[in-house]
Amino acid sequence: MMEKIYRLLNGKQTLALDGQTLSISEGNSVVLPIELRGHGFPNGNVNGHIGDTYIDLDVTNGALKWIKSTEGGNTGWKVLIGDTGWVTMNTVSVPQGQAIQMRRVNDTVTFRIKGGSYGRLGLVGRNKPGYVPQGGHGNKGCRIIEPGNIIQGFRAPYSLQGSLFGDNDANQRVYGSWYIGGVSDANFMRLAFFEDIPENNIDDMRLSPASWFTNDPYPTGTLNRG
């Protein structure tokens, strides 16, 4: 390595920079990545080369930094640093003021419960206003996010399932399970119980946590945060 450097210096070869292209006299050249800056999302708006990065000065929907994953043109930008914050999904079958929220950090999505006491989720009684049953489950299943209502940008590429617990029971009773349908299963969320869902409200449900990598592009529409 030191010998190559010595020959370079004593042979009086030179380096030249033309735009992004760095070349050596009588030798090869390489296109250097650069960092661009602008306002708004780069896809469809900003031309670049593989490895270029882009800073959105507006941090639109929480996306700060992007990287170019394809050569040339203004497409193929992917988020390097982005955090949507907690986004409220259109939630059914739960008391007013409660909802399921999802958050995307780069390409990873997770969910939480909003509005319930001590972070718990409530459920309106079976057949009460706002209650939406899950077809095929009889009295034992209900939807909490209707089909298609997991916002694009947060969708799971595969379906997920976890446990549904009761938090008022000293024995931590297991009510049943939660299920998120992925892109091939309607992008929805439902609860399934071992027993019939009661006609009175439930206020003590907890859901086992989950996270997933999404293949969705970063969300571009207006997000319902908070």
Side-chain angles (χ1 to χ4, degrees):
M1 181 67 179
M2 292 301 295
E3 182 181 0
K4 291 181 180 179
I5 295 173
Y6 177 81
R7 289 179 177 175
L8 171 63
L9 296 175
N10 284 272
K12 297 184 179 179
Q13 287 181 292
T14 59
L15 295 174
L17 182 62
D18 182 9
Q20 290 177 245
T21 302
L22 178 67
S23 59
I24 186 170
S25 58
E26 302 178 11
N28 296 323
S29 63
V30 62
V31 176
L32 300 175
I34 63 172
E35 183 169 276
L36 305 165
R37 291 171 175 258
H39 296 274
F41 288 165
N43 275 311
N45 298 307
V46 179
N47 292 318
H49 299 280
I50 288 179
D52 288 351
T53 56
Y54 170 84
I55 299 295
D56 178 4
L57 299 174
D58 298 330
V59 196
T60 308
N61 282 352
L64 170 65
K65 190 170 186 177
W66 301 71
I67 188 167
K68 191 73 162 60
S69 63
T70 59
E71 178 56 36
N74 59 16
T75 61
W77 291 98
K78 293 187 176 182
V79 167
L80 270 179
I81 303 174
D83 183 352
T84 62
W86 290 107
V87 176
T88 301
M89 302 290 138
N90 186 11
T91 312
V92 296
S93 300
V94 302
Q96 187 174 2
Q98 296 189 27
I100 296 295
Q101 292 187 314
M102 294 186 181
R103 182 175 186 172
R104 175 170 173 169
V105 178
N106 302 333
D107 288 333
T108 302
V109 180
T110 189
F111 72 88
R112 73 173 184 181
I113 297 161
K114 172 194 174 184
S117 62
Y118 303 105
R120 299 179 299 198
L121 181 68
L123 186 70
V124 299
R126 178 165 47 90
N127 300 324
K128 284 188 176 182
Y131 178 86
V132 180
Q134 171 63 37
H137 284 65
N139 294 331
K140 293 181 171 63
C142 67
R143 294 175 181 167
I144 55 174
I145 299 177
E146 292 268 47
N149 280 357
I150 295 178
I151 300 170
Q152 186 169 358
F154 296 84
R155 301 176 304 174
Y158 43 81
S159 296
L160 303 155
Q161 193 164 17
S163 297
L164 178 64
F165 303 97
D167 194 33
N168 280 339
D169 189 340
N171 295 319
Q172 290 292 296
R173 176 184 181 185
V174 179
Y175 279 130
S177 66
W178 60 262
Y179 175 86
I180 292 177
V183 293
S184 62
D185 190 14
N187 303 307
F188 78 111
M189 189 171 185
R190 62 100 171 125
L191 305 179
F193 289 71
F194 296 130
E195 301 174 0
D196 285 356
I197 296 172
E199 296 185 357
N200 296 322
N201 289 8
I202 301 173
D203 65 0
D204 70 331
M205 295 187 300
R206 292 196 184 277
L207 284 63
S208 60
S211 61
W212 56 93
F213 291 105
T214 182
N215 296 323
D216 281 355
Y218 199 82
T220 58
T222 301
L223 301 178
N224 181 16
R225 292 192 180 96

